[in-house]
Amino acid sequence: MTADIPTPLVTSRAQLLQQLARPVVHDLAVIGGGATGLGVALDAAARGFSVVLLESHDFAKGTSSRATKLVHGGVRYLAQGNIALVREALHERTTLLRNAPHLAQPLAFVMPSYKVWETPFYGTGLKMYDALAGQAGLGHTEFLGRMETLRCLPTAVAEGLKGGVKYWDGQFDDARLALALARTAARLGALVINYCPVSGLLYDAGKVAGVVCADAETGTPYEVRARCVVNATGVWVDELRQRDGQDCGQPVRPMVAPSQGVHIVVDRDFLPSDHALMVPKTADGRVLFAVPWLGKLILGTTDSPRQDLAREPVALREEVSFILGESARYLRRAPRAADVRSIWVGLRPLVKPQDDDSASTKSISREHTVLTSGSGLVTVTGGKWTTYRAMAEDVLRQCMHDRLLPHKPAGVTVSLALVGAGRIRNNGGLNAPQGLHSYGTEAPVVASLPGADAALAPGLSEAMVRFAARHEYARTVEDVLARRARVLFLDARLAASLAPRVAQLLAEELPGHDPQLEQFLQLANQYATVPT
């Protein structure tokens, strides 16, 4: 390691649990290791608070690893007239790209026009998008002719094509960004632990004073004292809110309206371009994307209300048919069910309008909500990946307003580079298969580990598995192949074929620990199965 690149922290689980057992009172306990919880933990640690974060499964196991991989202001929200949300998201987009250049980058989008009025109509709106971005813009919106559109989208349906509009947004690797947040928070002194579910709250004189949790691997219980507790469990926040309400004798009204989004992954040759395709209005009123990502093409997404909160939700047959059908309207060679490499589903924690239980999820705002219960439990939900940092500031502002934490100035994460921030030249970025470039400045450390030359698949080496176990909190085959490497999300059958060797490597790195191979093979089969 060079002098200006810190040595990666070792994520020994025994040491983490030893720290958890210490009889100390933390300033802040965060429940939930997705984008929101990790953002709160990082911001608090950067301000000098003592922080513990507990995640029931793996970091970003839920919604935060299942995004459309876009860092965006939200063209759709602009159409809804939510100017403030778009302006904030555009500002945060630039901040994210600057603080994690190895995990996020600009991406050009093309909106093809098959009706004469579409180019000027949507182009005018996207010019407004540019204006809202101001100096934070990534590129100027351009009006394209028919041939220019086909050069950008070579496999788009040419019949009836009038032209198009090109604009700029960003894309990122969501699960690895979550991991970078966790590791950066840890570097700043936060104690972050995965596989440590919270089962209850501690109270002093009717006020929340900490949490009860347990090591999911051994069942060992822990009591963690904290002056302030934040519930950042995403789509599952109501479960803890209900428990808090029961403990304090206060009725609680659910605040989340879950929505299911399905993404389908196919080979890149269905759209061999560095440009993404965007359809502004599909048959169900949603935006449809075809996004190049890590050597594949992501098609999505849907918006279906769900009442159940499964950890591994399954795509509905009609959702898959919808995405494939809409894709066939715009791609000359339309993907079929047999072409699907992986299919994955995320649940969005949309904030329910308190005066209208009938609102559809398509009409619900993506803005976040922060509230404090009578007992002092702070809950945050809603929002989106792009604004995770601003959401964290809002949460801490609420904690200070309620005098759960002493005041400390905000803005400390605006220019805070995340672990690994840096690029490797000539790597193709997020349009190329995952490789050492996703580690940024830590790439030399990975390359120095045993197995650096032993490739398991394009862009994945045995050394990367070892790095995941030693420095990235990985405990299972799924942790490695779903979130440290993104193989499960890109090609589920390939992930299944790699799983036995990954399990062997984890067994070497984590002696006596079960890497849960069979559970992963079942999950890979789910991701590879297209519902019929």
Side-chain angles (χ1 to χ4, degrees), residues 456 461-462 465-466 500-510:
L456 298 174
S461 68
E462 293 186 357
V465 179
R466 297 187 187 281
R501 179 55 182 155
V502 171
Q504 291 176 350
L505 293 168
L506 287 176
E508 293 176 15
E509 295 292 328
L510 308 170

Side-chain angles (χ1 to χ4, degrees), residues 5 7 15 41 85 170 191 208 247-248 253 311 369 390 451-452 481:
I5 301 176
T7 301
Q15 292 179 10
L85 177 62
L191 175 60
V208 173
D247 291 341
C248 299
R253 184 175 184 179
R311 285 287 170 177
T369 292
L481 290 177

Side-chain angles (χ1 to χ4, degrees), residues 87-241:
R87 183 183 286 113
E88 177 185 63
L90 288 170
H91 174 79
E92 292 300 323
R93 178 188 70 179
T94 303
T95 301
L96 198 160
L97 266 63
R98 181 180 64 245
N99 291 342
H102 57 311
L103 298 172
Q105 67 184 31
L107 177 67
F109 291 74
V110 174
M111 186 186 302
S113 302
Y114 290 90
K115 297 178 182 177
V116 174
W117 60 267
E118 289 180 322
T119 295
F121 178 78
Y122 290 116
T124 300
L126 288 166
K127 287 287 187 181
M128 185 183 299
Y129 197 60
D130 288 352
L132 287 172
Q135 294 184 345
L138 303 179
H140 295 296
T141 293
E142 302 174 46
F143 293 84
L144 305 179
R146 182 176 184 275
M147 295 309 297
E148 291 174 305
T149 301
L150 288 173
R151 276 194 290 271
C152 294
L153 304 175
T155 53
V157 171
E159 183 179 357
L161 182 66
K162 309 299 182 185
V165 182
K166 176 180 176 179
Y167 72 101
W168 290 83
D169 249 324
Q171 67 174 162
F172 74 132
D173 186 331
D174 50 5
R176 289 204 62 83
L177 182 64
L179 191 61
L181 293 177
R183 297 180 62 218
T184 306
R187 184 167 292 284
L188 292 174
L191 175 60
V192 295
I193 307 180
N194 53 355
Y195 296 105
C196 196
V198 168
S199 58
L201 298 168
L202 299 174
Y203 296 89
D204 283 339
K207 296 295 183 180
V208 173
V211 303
V212 178
C213 61
D215 174 15
E217 297 179 2
T218 64
T220 304
Y222 298 87
E223 287 192 355
V224 181
R225 295 275 170 179
R227 297 177 180 86
C228 179
V229 176
V230 171
N231 173 17
T233 52
V235 75
W236 295 277
V237 292
D238 284 328
E239 180 180 339
L240 190 60
R241 291 179 64 242

Side-chain angles (χ1 to χ4, degrees), residues 339-352:
D339 298 312
V340 174
R341 296 292 186 180
S342 186
I343 181 168
W344 34 275
V345 184
L347 298 178
R348 303 183 188 92
L350 306 183
V351 180
K352 182 185 297 185

